[in-house]
Amino acid sequence: MVAKLPEEEHPKQAFGWAARDQSGVLSPFKFSRRATAEKDVAFKVLYCGICHSDLHMAKNEWGVTQYPLVPGHEIVGIVTEVGSKVEKFKVGDKVGVGCMVGSCHSCDSCHDNLENYCPKMILTYGAKNYDGTITYGGYSDLMVAEEHFIVRIPDNLSLDAGAPLLCAGITVYSPLRYFGLDKPGMHVGVVGLGGLGHVAVKFAKAMGVKVTVISTSPNKKQEAVENLGADSFLVSSDQGQMQSAMGTLDGIIDTVSAVHPMLPLFTLLKSHGKLVLVGAPEKPLELPVFPLIGGRKMVGGSCIGGMKETQEMIDFAAKHNITADVEVIPMDYVNTAMERMLKGDVRYRFVIDVAKPLNP
């Protein structure tokens, strides 16, 4: 049987930008979306954030990419069509889709509203869908997803600056809640002041937590303290600063996606403190065990959040006026944006204005 072309797989014609090989270079791509089924919501994509994962996947740095790849899992827009059994959304609603578009709905994780830990979770892009076709992400003009995986965007949350919350926001909100680092008066460290880190500072502060930013870049101190509201700032390479902060933190959210030493972070934790990893370095990190044993300290991980918690996070963000700091770009700037992101040259998240027409 001859495989169908991407634009022939489904009835709805769609247009986006895709990577075709490990160069990761994106270019215009015609494909198709499924017809709106009875429990589906279709929406016109207005904005899509650029996540570090998009770059890893476009270049196949995690070894799981299937090409052509349309990235994007911080997707917001306006509902254009709803299926006959959709109950929570109507045409014209502001909605979003984050990192997943499917799960089994029957395992323990799904029953516990933790679809993100379902063994059969379907990622928003580059994964096999229920029908065997490959999922395409939000660097595109049109999205169709099951109602269960659609997030309502409150009217007072700006769509462009709110989009990154669907990945970066939930990635830091969930561990703050789950690991109990959300109690007023606690002292939490945030490692790395990028797309994830700057949002972590905002959420932690809104929860009433004292926040210390830990970074390799001394020049980010002013930004962290004055603009984002962090209480203090540590340069991780400054032994004097790190030593003076030993044993002061109840927990740390580590957002860095490059290989970096764990030992200096362990020393910052109080006894029984928790280091939670949410960045995804390509290579394994070294784990010194003695500092963990000596202080009954924990190392954990966290991956986005379930749909119930994602909606809770978006509503919390709207209530506390939390958005990402973004640079909005046209679609044809996406390759340059990827290069700049790799160099850390963005404050703090690129967001594609998908609906903006390009100049011919």
Side-chain angles (χ1 to χ4, degrees):
M1 186 176 159
V2 180
K4 287 186 176 179
L5 294 169
E7 61 265 42
E8 295 172 352
E9 284 181 336
H10 303 291
K12 289 179 184 282
Q13 292 305 297
F15 178 75
W17 280 51
R20 307 310 209 283
D21 55 45
Q22 291 192 355
S23 70
V25 173
L26 292 115
S27 56
F29 176 63
K30 288 180 181 174
F31 65 107
S32 53
R33 299 279 190 197
R34 68 174 183 259
T36 309
E38 59 184 19
K39 290 186 177 179
D40 281 347
V41 173
F43 64 93
K44 176 184 169 69
V45 178
L46 297 181
Y47 297 100
C48 185
I50 298 181
C51 175
H52 221 283
S53 308
D54 299 345
L55 182 60
H56 287 303
M57 286 292 289
K59 291 177 175 285
N60 194 25
E61 289 176 347
W62 291 334
V64 295
T65 302
Q66 300 182 61
Y67 297 103
L69 180 90
V70 178
H73 57 206
E74 300 177 344
I75 315 163
V76 294
I78 304 289
V79 175
T80 54
E81 187 183 11
V82 295
S84 59
K85 293 191 177 175
V86 167
E87 297 173 358
K88 295 187 289 187
F89 302 99
K90 63 183 188 305
V91 172
D93 284 352
K94 295 177 183 175
V95 295
V97 163
C99 300
M100 57 184 167
V101 291
S103 70
C104 78
H105 296 297
S106 59
C107 69
D108 288 348
S109 290
C110 285
H111 284 312
D112 292 339
N113 298 304
L114 294 168
E115 303 89 345
N116 49 316
Y117 298 119
C118 170
K120 295 181 179 175
M121 187 220 350
I122 300 171
L123 295 171
T124 301
Y125 67 85
K128 195 168 274 194
N129 215 332
Y130 299 117
D131 62 2
T133 60
I134 299 300
T135 56
Y136 293 120
Y139 294 15
S140 60
D141 60 355
L142 169 70
M143 195 74 197
V144 180
E146 193 183 328
E147 175 185 29
H148 185 80
F149 295 93
I150 300 278
V151 176
R152 178 179 300 283
I153 308 294
D155 283 337
N156 67 322
L157 194 69
S158 84
L159 287 179
D160 53 0
L165 299 180
L166 292 165
C167 171
I170 188 61
T171 294
V172 296
Y173 179 92
S174 184
L176 285 168
R177 291 288 194 213
Y178 178 78
F179 290 99
L181 302 176
D182 56 350
K183 311 289 184 289
M186 289 186 110
H187 191 173
V188 172
V190 173
V191 187
L193 198 64
L196 294 175
H198 89 287
V199 181
V201 173
K202 294 184 183 190
F203 275 115
K205 288 302 296 178
M207 292 168 181
V209 170
K210 184 180 177 186
V211 178
T212 293
V213 170
I214 303 145
S215 173
T216 55
S217 312
N219 58 355
K220 288 188 178 178
K221 180 176 182 178
Q222 186 178 355
E223 174 77 11
V225 175
E226 293 179 18
N227 295 1
L228 297 173
D231 298 280
S232 52
F233 185 91
L234 293 174
V235 179
S236 54
S237 58
D238 185 321
Q239 288 188 335
Q241 284 186 26
M242 294 291 279
Q243 207 152 4
S244 67
M246 278 176 68
T248 59
L249 302 181
D250 295 288
I252 294 173
I253 304 291
D254 186 346
T255 71
V256 175
S257 56
V259 174
H260 57 291
M262 296 284 94
L263 183 60
L265 302 178
F266 292 154
T267 62
L268 297 176
L269 290 170
K270 297 176 182 175
S271 293
H272 335 296
K274 299 162 187 171
L275 171 63
V276 187
L277 306 169
V278 295
E282 293 164 48
K283 293 181 178 149
L285 300 175
E286 203 169 286
L287 187 69
V289 174
F290 280 108
L292 296 181
I293 295 171
R296 195 165 67 174
K297 298 173 185 179
M298 287 174 55
V299 181
S302 184
C303 178
I304 55 170
M307 294 314 302
K308 183 180 178 185
E309 189 175 46
T310 301
Q311 187 66 61
E312 176 193 299
M313 175 276 306
I314 283 286
D315 294 341
F316 181 92
K319 181 182 176 183
H320 294 275
N321 199 25
I322 295 170
T323 54
D325 293 4
V326 301
E327 180 178 332
V328 179
I329 61 165
M331 185 69 93
D332 58 0
Y333 188 77
V334 66
N335 291 307
T336 306
M338 291 276 195
E339 289 171 16
R340 284 181 53 193
M341 183 172 65
L342 195 57
K343 292 186 276 193
D345 178 23
V346 56
R347 296 286 181 274
Y348 279 95
R349 203 66 150 187
F350 286 115
V351 172
I352 304 165
D353 186 343
V354 176
K356 184 179 182 182
L358 299 176
N359 296 323

